[in-house]
Amino acid sequence: MKRLENKVALVTGGSRGIGVSIVERLAEEGAHVAINYHSASSKQLAEDLKEKIEAMHNIKAITIQANVGVKDDVERMVSEVEDTLGDVEILVNNAGIAPFESFLTLSEETWDMTYQTNVKSIFLLSQRVAQKMVKKRAGKIVNITSTASLLVTSPVIPHYISSKAAASQLTKALAIELGRYQINVNAVGPSTVETDMTTEMFEDKENYQREVEANPMKRLGTSKQIGDAVVFLASDEAEQVNGHLLMVDGGLTVKAAQPDDHLQH
Ligand code: NAP
């Protein structure tokens, strides 16, 4: 028996980057997976991933376009999962954006969009799926926050860093609020992982090398390692783990930052 056999999971931002590894690991463990995407350009990626995991793991998958920061989209998406796969038992709030803009010229639109995608989405989705989880007295919610929720990581992007701190604190508050219904709410905090989100930052090879050097393990993490952590928190093995921020960061958040660890952007 696989660890997540026949569970129904919804992964936001599941067609690209870290989301792909989360989807693949959940499917590998036997879960049926709803893959959310937002951009039209990600539709084909989501479809290809659906076909791949269905063929490899004998599970059911669906793809759903939705903006996780918009209530009507969230309602439509969760209803579609319920109608096709069943009630959501594992919610992974992975979708996120990190616009690389400097504080002094940051627009109000970018600030609002960052909070809408990184924080409000967790409120909207968790509230919607919790309605069913509360009745069943079971459920797992895993939020992908960041080492940036604990440290001022570099490059310094205040809107992103503060949104991730809010997401981590929201994780803890929901853990207390929903724990009484046997719903576990935890977070996984990656340090830097190479995805589209970090491409711009690593165009400068010196930035990449400094990031590696700043990490106590002298290497970056991988998307698969994030997927592994999500599987653990979504499984019965984590039944008594609630309100935890699991940093998958090589020890970065327990190390005192050195001034020259900081990158320019
Ligand atoms: P990515 O490659 O840029 O992918 C971002 C994902 O979020 C995409 O699937 C995107 O969907 C989705 N998304 C963005 N806005 C959305 C919206 N309004 N509605 C629905 N989906 C939306 O980023 P990543 O590196 O995989 O990051 C995944 C998560 O890990 C994020 O929460 C990020 O903050 C966190 N994280 C990443 C790193 C890192 O170094 N990569 C480090 C710490 C934390 P579309 O493609 O459809 O737009």
Side-chain angles (χ1 to χ4, degrees):
M1 175 110 168
K2 293 177 176 175
R3 286 156 91 189
L4 304 175
E5 190 90 43
N6 281 325
K7 296 283 185 194
V8 174
L10 167 60
V11 181
T12 66
S15 74
R16 285 199 291 127
I18 289 171
V20 172
S21 293
I22 295 171
V23 167
E24 288 180 338
R25 285 293 292 115
L26 293 172
E28 196 179 345
E29 298 293 347
H32 306 297
V33 190
I35 306 164
N36 158 252
Y37 66 95
H38 180 225
S39 311
S41 57
S42 292
K43 182 177 169 51
Q44 194 57 49
L45 296 173
E47 291 294 331
D48 292 347
L49 182 59
K50 164 190 150 68
E51 279 177 27
K52 180 181 166 186
I53 59 173
E54 281 186 331
M56 282 180 77
H57 305 300
N58 194 30
I59 52 93
K60 284 178 276 176
I62 59 170
T63 66
I64 312 178
Q65 193 283 334
N67 183 340
V68 291
V70 174
K71 188 172 182 177
D72 286 351
D73 276 27
V74 166
E75 175 56 41
R76 173 179 52 77
M77 172 164 66
V78 176
S79 296
E80 196 176 325
V81 180
E82 289 169 351
D83 292 345
T84 51
L85 299 179
D87 292 347
V88 176
E89 296 166 292
I90 299 165
L91 168 66
V92 186
N93 287 305
N94 165 71
I97 57 169
F100 285 84
E101 289 180 32
S102 298
F103 179 68
L104 290 176
T105 51
L106 181 69
S107 67
E108 188 180 357
E109 287 73 22
T110 299
W111 176 276
D112 287 345
M113 198 193 296
T114 305
Y115 270 72
Q116 183 184 19
T117 311
N118 296 358
V119 188
K120 187 180 176 187
S121 60
I122 298 177
F123 151 57
L124 292 174
L125 272 143
S126 303
Q127 188 187 54
R128 177 60 180 80
V129 302
Q131 289 162 7
K132 295 280 177 73
M133 290 177 173
V134 162
K135 287 187 187 138
K136 293 183 169 175
R137 295 289 193 274
K140 302 273 198 274
I141 298 175
V142 183
N143 300 323
I144 308 304
T145 64
S146 173
T147 49
S149 67
L150 300 179
L151 296 176
V152 177
T153 50
S154 63
V156 179
I157 355 177
H159 46 295
Y160 177 75
I161 291 169
S162 60
S163 76
K164 288 295 176 180
S168 281
Q169 199 66 358
L170 183 55
T171 301
K172 294 183 195 173
L174 295 184
I176 303 306
E177 186 73 10
L178 300 176
R180 77 191 74 170
Y181 305 106
Q182 278 66 63
I183 301 167
N184 303 63
V185 187
N186 291 290
V188 174
S191 53
T192 308
V193 174
E194 278 189 272
T195 64
D196 294 344
M197 190 175 270
T198 53
T199 304
E200 195 185 323
M201 189 166 103
F202 289 148
E203 274 165 9
D204 182 342
K205 289 292 161 219
E206 275 182 30
N207 268 351
Y208 180 88
Q209 211 39 52
R210 287 174 80 177
E211 191 77 7
V212 169
E213 285 305 318
N215 192 287
M217 301 199 79
K218 306 298 174 200
R219 64 184 180 216
L220 301 187
T222 66
S223 294
K224 159 124 182 355
Q225 291 162 348
I226 307 306
D228 290 339
V230 169
V231 164
F232 166 66
L233 291 173
S235 74
D236 290 346
E237 292 155 26
E239 209 138 73
Q240 196 65 1
V241 182
N242 193 28
H244 188 72
L245 310 179
L246 176 52
M247 294 294 138
V248 181
D249 67 351
L252 187 70
T253 45
V254 295
K255 167 187 175 248
Q258 306 301 314
D260 57 2
D261 284 347
H262 282 275
L263 312 176
Q264 298 303 315
H265 67 96

